[in-house]
Amino acid sequence: MTSSVSRIGDYIREQRESSRLSLRRLAEESGISNPYLSQIERGLRKPSAEILQQLAKALRISAEQLYVQAGLLEDRGSSLAVETAVPGGPLLDE
């Protein structure tokens, strides 16, 4: 399989472990079958955008993060753009 498939699987596993969720618990909370989630984490299956959205919700992270890791979106460094744009906003002050 491609490296983006294994990269997204590794990333999901890292997020699941940092959230202290078991594979079974994440499967339940996301509505994805346990075997399918296991295959995603092992890099055997490429999840769809809809599956990534369900996982993001269950992991309490942004779906955009998962889309970037999966290669569905280009990392545009959007958080940096926001940080630099906010101080220049005419209606914003400290």
Side-chain angles (χ1 to χ4, degrees), residues 3-5 7-8 11 64-73:
S3 63
S4 67
V5 174
R7 184 171 64 232
I8 187 60
Y11 186 77
E64 183 176 308
Q65 285 178 285
L66 291 181
Y67 296 159
V68 168
Q69 291 295 321
L72 298 176
L73 273 183

Side-chain angles (χ1 to χ4, degrees), residues 47-61:
S48 67
E50 183 179 326
I51 294 294
L52 291 173
Q53 188 172 21
Q54 290 173 248
L55 288 168
K57 185 175 180 183
L59 290 167
R60 293 174 178 81
I61 61 174

